[in-house]
Structures are given as C-alpha cells and as structure tokens.
Amino acid sequence: MQGMSLIVKNTTRLVAGFIALFGIYIVLYGHVSPGGGFAGGCILAGALVLIVLAFGEEYSRRVLPHGIAKTSDCLGALAFLLVAIAGYMAGGFFVNFLDRGEACTLFSAGTVPISNLAIGVKVGAGLFSVFLALAMFRRSGERGAGGLLSPRSAAHNGDES
Amino acid sequence: MPLVVALPLAGGFLAPALGRVTGSGRWAAALPLAVAAAVLVLVLAMQGRGDEAAVLWMGGWKFPVGISLYADGLTRLVLLVIAVIGLLALVFSMDYMRQYTSPSLYYGLFLLMLAGMNGVVISGDLFNIFVFVEIAGLASYALVAFGTEADELEASLKYLALGAVASTFILVGIAIVYNVTGQLNWAKIAQAVQGAGGPSLPLAVALAFFLMGFGLKAAMVPFHAWLPDAHPAAPAPISAMLSGVLIKACGVYAVARIVFSVFGATETFGWVLAVMGVASMALGSLLMLVQADFKRLLAYSSIGQMGYVVLALGAAAVMQARGVSEAVVALAVFGGLFHLVNHAIFKSLLFLCSGSVEYATGTRQLKELGGLGARMPVTGACLRVAALSISGVPPLNGFWSKLVIILALVLGGFYTLAAIAAAVSVVTLVSFARVQRYVLGGAATAAAERAREVPAGMGLATVALATLCVASSLVMLPSVRGVLVDPAVRVVQAGLGRRAPQAAPVADVARPACPAVSGAGAPEPRLDKPAVPHPVPPAE
C-alpha cells in the first residue's frame, strides 16, 4: 500500500493525533465516565489504522514498529493479569487492593484504572496487529504467492466415505 | 483456583513476547512446560476433596455482580485429564515442533487453548463458559492452520466456519436463558428451572440450541463433519489435544453440565443423547474402516469413541426416568466418565504415535508404511498398547470402561444398544488390527527404509501415556475409583435425580444434590475471602 491522495494525507495529518488523544482520554477516564479500556483501545487502533491507510504500511512503521505492536499486545494482557494476580496480596484473585480514593475523580477506584490502561494497550496494539496481518494476507493473495487462495486448495482431500 | 486459568493465560502471552529471547530451539518449550507442570500440581492439589464443591467469587464481588468459579467432582476430574494430557503433549512438542518455524507462537497458542479449556471447566456461569469456549476455539483454529499448507488452511477454515456456527447457537441459547430466568450463573439458573418445575418451552428451545452448539464442538454425529478434516491437519501434539481433550472439555463436559446440572435430564433428553451417541458410534467406527490416512482414521475413531461416552450418559438419564435402580444408573454414568478419561489417554497416545511415525517416515498414508515395528521399537510398542486399549482388549483400560458401559446397558434393559456397543467394539478391533498390520507388520516400504527411532522427548511422552493406559485400569479398584471418578459420577447423577420422583427409594445419604440447589433458600457459597464493599461497580 503506497498511501492515498494528498487530501487524505493532509486530513489524516490533522486528525490522527486528535483521534489518538481521544482514545487515551477514553482509556484514562474509563472508570468515571462511559468507555474504558476496550473502547479507548479501539479508538487508538483506529488512529493507527488511519495512518496505514493514508500513508501506507511503510510509513506506519515509523509511527509504531510492528514488532513493538505485537510485543505490547502481549505485555498489555500480561499487565492486566498481573493486576489480577496481585489481588492475592489482599486475599484473592482480582481483589481491588489499592486505595479507592474519592469517587468520580481521576485518581480513584484502586486497580480499575490500571486494568483499563492494560486493556487499552492490549486492544489498541492487538487490533492494529490484526489489521496489519489482514493487509499482509491480502497482498500475498494479490501476488498469488504462497497459494493461499489458489483453487488447488478447494479441490483436495475428497472424503472416501 | 483461578490460577489454573491465569497461569496458562499468562504463559500464553509471555511465550510469544519472549520469542526473540528463547529462539527456536528447545528453550522455547521451557516456559510452557513449567506452566503446564505448575497447573498439573495445582490440579493435583485440588483432587481428593470428595464431594466438596468450591465456589469462588472473583475479587470478593458477590452475586449478582460478581463472577464465580466453581469446582466440584466433575470439574476436578476433567481438569486432571486436561492437565495430564496437556503436559505430555507439550513434552512431545519439544522435539516434534522443531520441524516447524516460530515455535514461540505455537506454544503461546497452545497455552491459550489450555487456559480456555480450563476456563470452560471451572467457570460458574454460562456466559463465561461461552467466552472460554471461544478462547479455546480461536486458539485451536489457528493451531490447526499452523502448517499453513493449502489443506491445513482449508481444514482450519471449515473448522472455523462450523465452530462459529456452534458459538452462535450457544450464544443464542444463553440469550434465551438469560431472558427467561434473568440469570447467567448456572447454579442460579438450575434453581430457577427447578423452582418452575422443569424447563418451559423457551428453555427447551434454549436447550436444543445448547445441544446443537456443544454437540458441534463435541463432533457428535449429525454435527461431525469438521472433525475428520481439522484433527488430522493439525501438528500431532495438537491433534492429540483436540481429539483427546478439547472435544471433551468444550463439548461433552459442557453438554453434561448444562443438560444434567442445569436443566436436569429428562427421559426425552436422555433419548436424544443416546441416539446421538449410537449414531456417532456406528458411523464413526464404520467410516474408520475405509480410511487410508492414519490420522484421518484416528479422527473418525474419535467420533465413534465419544459416541460411547454420550450413549452412556444418555442411557443413564433414560434409566433414571424409568426407575432402574440407582446402582445401575451410577454404573452407566461411571462407565461414561471412565471411558472419557480412557479415551483421552489412548487417543492422544495414538495421535502422538502417528506423529512419531510421520516424523520418522514423512508420510501418514497407511499403504506407504510398513515394517516399523522393528525399526521403531518404542513407538511401535506404544502404538500396540494404544491400539489394543482402544479396541477393548483386557487388561487395558479401554476394556474395562467398555465392559462397564455394556454391563450397565444390559442391566438397564437396553439389550439392543448393548449389542450395538459390543459390535462397534469388534469393528474397532478390526480397524486397529489393520493399522497395526500396515504400520508395524510386513516388509519395510521405501518410506520406512530410512525410519529411525524418534528423539527422547517424543519417546518419553508416548511411553508415559502407554503406562497410563495400563495404570488407569486401576480405576476399577474401589479405593482409586472412590477418590477420582466417583465424586464426578455423583455430580452427574445428582442432575439426573432431580426430576425423577418415581426413582428407587433413596439410598443416597452420600449423594449431594447440586450444592447451590440443595438448600431451600439462597446458596451459601464457600468464600475464600469476605466480600469487599465498594461504592462503584468495576468497569469492564
């Protein structure tokens, strides 16, 4: 993918940052307002996908190297699990062991914002990786390489029964 | 208790993240092996609690906001099977997977699948059963396609499509149940169904959806089409996991849990299960006779053998409704569950042996094999043990469980079904005699000429499973049986007894009803920790 027209590129340049910022906002305020890690992570991934569509895959590597996307996908999930396991310190799995603070402020609700953050990273990086994988799959289909979509695969292995 | 899910899940994410460090050598298997061993230790520590049913509300959040985990005798038995087979399949993978690239992804998916299966078994509410079925399912779709050859991708796509249909059925069923009862916790649903005096029409429809969905996952006969493609296409240890454990955890366990523990089995459900079981048995075993591909033959035999398990459970429900004595019903349930355990052992052993054979010769067409008995003595001996065991030759485990099932059917008055079960056993014997003849006997073919014994890791796994094939006959001893299988039998039987008032007068001092259902009032779940008060419900 070599990217799209100048209009698309310029518009993307303008809005991508704001989309990402909005995603981060949704993640951080997940525990006090509608939204949360999953919704915010989707918006974050949306910003990254927009960059891939407008500027092409090569350029997007400069924004977020794909290896890092995959790794942070795993690390986000791990962080979420660690928060859950850390609950054992207070007596059980997923027990909220941090000070809950004053309700409806940013720094409140104990472990919930941390879990949200982990989910946000996981979902954002994960969805982005899924998109990249699908884009790669389409390219290899177009080239006809690897025989992924070749008719050969449809007509094999007739069942003897 | 949550650690049996959390540990493999963590390992599943850690393995690919560490992929660059561990490389593609033996070290890639170190972390997964450690995780699987730890899970086995945890599961072993859970055994031997008899009829105790543990409920854990996560994070101390109680009903109705909390999510609960639940472990009773049936849970513990299935968890033990998953843990043992999972660990041995990983030991086998250590050498076997060196034929493939990116092992860290393989191990990550493997552990995810393990986490999903453990989650299905341990989950206390229907929706989480669905979520974990999906986790295990998605991991297994990817694992079936792991070789990325055309036929593997095709099999995976077929599996994915049918698996998605199954998941949709399950989800629709859950939606109906939630709409009718307002509950997702299955113990509560059981209570609601019980209170209403049996499932109403919408709930019966929901049950039909569950039966279709989980029946598809268990590959019972009208829904079996995906299995003979998917199981052979996967790498051998994954075939072993899919056939040995996945169809049981996501299929038969879930059916048993929902039909017996939640809805309570009636005679109709019993007949449906029994008919599906007989159809699976007959069709699976007959189609097995004509297969030329080693692993495809094993896949058909999985359909047939799972038929025994489902038949035994269904027949038990029918017997209970007809007022056959408790002891015979218990015998049928015991036979079914014992066969489930045995099938996990010998079928995964057979798949691992087929993997060893393919590793050594590069083919799995029966006609191209021959004379391996002399060239690969260890694998050959293990294959013989497994083949004799699945055909029901005494004194191996398969003989005992089939004997118990057929005995229970005869005592319960199902002479035709017993005759079919016995006949199918003979067909299995013929089929596996053919396997032994082609693979082990005869003169060495071109492919077998250069075959050598497989590396130590693969040999170790197969020998361990072959030992288990012999050792699990010990379950027939009352003392072993009382610890391992009987609590699970009583759980299933409690589900049967709930709606069979005409059943034989109770000799059931030791028979616990489903714990959340036994009391008249609200259930008293055992809490590992007192509830923590909190002003705001947690975000997702």
Side-chain angles (χ1 to χ4, degrees):
Chain A
M1 269 184 279
Q2 289 310 311
M4 293 183 172
S5 71
L6 196 63
I7 303 174
V8 180
K9 282 186 179 169
N10 273 329
T11 319
T12 305
R13 226 172 249 136
L14 283 175
V15 299
F18 286 109
I19 296 178
L21 192 64
F22 183 61
I24 293 169
Y25 164 79
I26 293 281
V27 171
L28 287 183
Y29 279 80
H31 55 296
V32 288
S33 68
F38 192 92
C42 289
I43 298 171
L44 264 176
L48 291 167
V49 167
L50 190 62
I51 291 172
V52 177
L53 287 178
F55 291 95
E57 201 190 316
E58 282 308 311
Y59 183 85
S60 77
R61 280 178 205 275
R62 277 193 270 163
V63 181
L64 180 65
H66 299 174
I68 293 189
K70 281 177 196 157
T71 312
S72 48
D73 174 46
C74 293
L75 291 182
L78 271 178
F80 182 73
L81 262 172
L82 277 182
V83 172
I85 291 174
Y88 272 112
M89 291 193 308
F93 198 62
F94 265 119
V95 167
N96 199 333
F97 57 90
L98 290 180
D99 181 32
R100 281 185 202 87
E102 191 186 338
C104 300
T105 56
L106 182 55
F107 295 100
S108 65
T111 56
V112 177
I114 305 174
S115 305
N116 263 335
L117 201 63
I119 296 172
V121 171
K122 155 88 194 156
V123 172
L127 273 182
F128 182 57
S129 305
V130 167
F131 178 82
L132 287 175
L134 289 176
M136 264 163 57
F137 189 75
R138 177 158 157 244
R139 271 188 319 174
S140 68
E142 275 165 359
R143 281 206 306 268
L148 287 177
L149 302 170
S150 66
R152 186 166 58 94
S153 60
H156 98 106
N157 215 353
D159 205 329
E160 294 94 325
S161 54
Chain B
M1 196 156 65
L3 284 180
V4 294
V5 182
L7 275 185
L9 204 56
F13 289 118
L14 206 55
L18 288 179
R20 250 176 255 164
V21 186
T22 52
S24 58
R26 266 167 207 263
W27 281 107
L31 172 80
L33 277 175
V35 169
V39 170
L40 181 60
V41 169
L42 281 174
V43 170
L44 281 177
M46 285 166 72
Q47 301 295 320
R49 301 250 180 101
D51 294 324
E52 177 196 314
V55 179
L56 182 112
W57 294 91
M58 295 239 276
W61 290 85
K62 295 276 282 237
F63 181 82
V65 281
I67 292 172
S68 65
L69 299 179
Y70 183 91
D72 59 15
L74 184 59
T75 308
R76 285 192 278 266
L77 179 69
V78 180
L79 276 180
L80 183 64
V81 173
I82 296 174
V84 170
I85 306 290
L87 180 62
L88 291 174
L90 270 176
V91 171
F92 188 86
S93 306
M94 204 163 58
D95 287 317
Y96 183 81
M97 289 313 288
R98 285 198 285 178
Q99 307 170 72
Y100 292 78
T101 51
S102 55
S104 59
L105 285 180
Y106 165 82
Y107 289 117
L109 286 167
F110 190 105
L111 289 176
L112 270 188
M113 186 167 81
L114 207 61
M117 285 189 288
N118 281 343
V120 170
V121 177
I122 208 170
S123 173
D125 71 74
L126 285 182
F127 192 74
N128 277 327
I129 289 184
F130 168 75
V131 170
F132 284 120
V133 163
E134 280 296 272
I135 292 179
L138 287 174
S140 62
Y141 307 145
L143 283 169
V144 167
F146 201 75
T148 61
E149 295 292 328
D151 55 339
E152 284 152 358
L153 289 174
E154 191 212 345
S156 173
L157 201 63
K158 193 171 180 182
Y159 182 24
L160 172 66
L162 285 170
V165 170
S167 306
T168 315
F169 277 132
I170 296 168
L171 195 59
V172 171
I174 293 172
I176 296 175
V177 167
Y178 185 63
N179 199 15
V180 173
T181 62
Q183 313 279 6
L184 284 174
N185 186 307
W186 60 255
K188 295 272 182 185
I189 296 170
Q191 223 171 8
V193 174
Q194 181 83 340
S200 54
L201 181 64
L203 284 181
V205 173
L207 185 60
F209 273 113
F210 283 134
L211 218 53
M212 275 190 273
F214 289 121
L216 237 163
K217 296 276 183 197
M220 289 192 270
V221 136
F223 314 118
H224 68 286
W226 58 271
L227 188 143
D229 282 332
H231 286 193
I238 296 306
S239 309
M241 286 300 281
L242 290 177
S243 247
V245 196
L246 189 88
I247 55 174
K248 300 181 182 65
C250 293
V252 174
Y253 167 82
V255 166
R257 190 53 102 188
I258 286 175
V259 171
F260 293 88
S261 293
V262 179
F263 287 92
T266 58
E267 191 172 354
T268 324
F269 298 149
W271 273 118
V272 171
L273 285 181
V275 167
M276 280 170 118
V278 170
S280 304
M281 245 162 57
L283 207 67
S285 303
L286 288 175
L287 288 179
M288 180 168 70
L289 276 175
V290 295
Q291 299 304 320
D293 181 326
F294 192 0
K295 285 175 88 177
R296 207 172 170 78
L297 181 146
L298 295 180
Y300 274 109
S301 124
S302 277
I303 299 176
Q305 300 300 312
M306 289 320 283
Y308 275 97
V309 178
V310 176
L311 166 66
L313 294 180
V318 177
M319 286 179 205
Q320 179 85 35
R322 288 188 173 175
V324 178
S325 86
E326 292 272 303
V328 177
V329 177
L331 198 64
V333 175
F334 167 69
L337 292 179
F338 187 25
H339 199 63
L340 187 149
V341 175
N342 289 343
H343 180 253
I345 297 170
F346 52 59
K347 186 48 62 66
S348 44
L349 175 54
L350 281 166
F351 267 117
L352 292 186
C353 286
S354 81
S356 298
V357 168
E358 196 185 352
Y359 184 89
T361 64
T363 180
R364 50 184 212 229
Q365 295 301 316
L366 288 175
K367 297 237 159 88
E368 293 171 16
L369 295 167
L372 288 177
R375 283 187 169 69
M376 301 167 68
V378 177
T379 306
C382 292
L383 180 60
R384 266 190 219 288
V385 169
L388 293 178
S389 182
I390 195 172
S391 332
V393 174
L396 296 161
N397 57 3
F399 166 73
W400 297 110
S401 52
K402 284 185 183 178
L403 181 72
V404 170
I405 291 175
I406 293 171
L407 201 65
L409 287 174
V410 169
L411 290 175
F414 297 100
Y415 300 111
T416 323
L417 293 184
I420 296 176
V424 166
S425 191
V426 174
V427 174
T428 314
L429 180 63
V430 171
S431 198
F432 277 96
R434 186 169 154 258
V435 168
Q436 293 184 54
R437 154 81 185 71
Y438 273 125
V439 178
L440 302 176
T445 54
E449 278 293 325
R450 50 201 166 77
R452 280 179 298 124
E453 189 55 85
V454 292
M458 292 162 73
L460 179 69
T462 47
V463 169
L465 277 169
T467 318
L468 276 179
C469 265
V470 182
S472 61
S473 306
L474 292 178
V475 173
M476 290 306 284
L477 296 176
S479 53
V480 183
R481 181 185 154 174
V483 175
L484 284 180
V485 188
D486 273 357
V489 171
R490 285 193 289 268
V491 169
V492 176
Q493 231 192 329
L496 295 176
R498 281 204 285 125
R499 242 193 321 297
Q502 77 276 36
V506 257
D508 64 347
V509 201
R511 199 181 98 199
C514 181
V517 182
S518 55
E524 263 312 312
R526 191 181 68 89
L527 260 188
D528 286 7
K529 175 174 187 312
V532 181
H534 192 292
V536 200
E540 57 127 2

